[in-house]
Amino acid sequence: MANFILVIVLFSSLLLACAKTDQSILVKEGDDLLDCGALANELKFAKNLGKNAPSRQRHIKALQEKKQCIKKPEISISIGVSGSF
């Protein structure tokens, strides 16, 4: 009897582990389809989410990088040499 209960508990745990996680507001359906302007608006809206704001902002920023909406900073170095004899 104890083995039967153990099997049921393990099987239930396995099913729960394989279940789709709750994506709530942090990841909305259709986020991948948004253009750069809409992603910028979502990033502004994410500031109003309270404790969930950092997670939503990270997700939106990752999408912006994936779609190349944010230009990476360009670094330029110039070296000049001057002398007088």
Side-chain angles (χ1 to χ4, degrees), residues 68-78:
Q68 299 177 348
C69 295
I70 301 174
K71 284 189 166 184
K72 296 191 180 203
E74 294 180 15
I75 300 173
S76 65
I77 300 174
S78 61

Side-chain angles (χ1 to χ4, degrees), residues 44-62:
K44 289 177 187 174
F45 172 74
K47 294 177 183 176
N48 302 326
L49 294 178
K51 68 177 184 171
N52 292 327
S55 300
R56 178 72 176 157
Q57 289 171 332
R58 279 193 305 273
H59 174 68
I60 295 297
K61 286 179 184 177

Side-chain angles (χ1 to χ4, degrees), residues 26-42:
L26 302 179
V27 178
K28 288 197 249 179
E29 190 173 330
D31 277 348
D32 294 334
L33 304 175
L34 297 176
D35 62 350
C36 292
L39 286 172
N41 291 337
E42 282 292 323

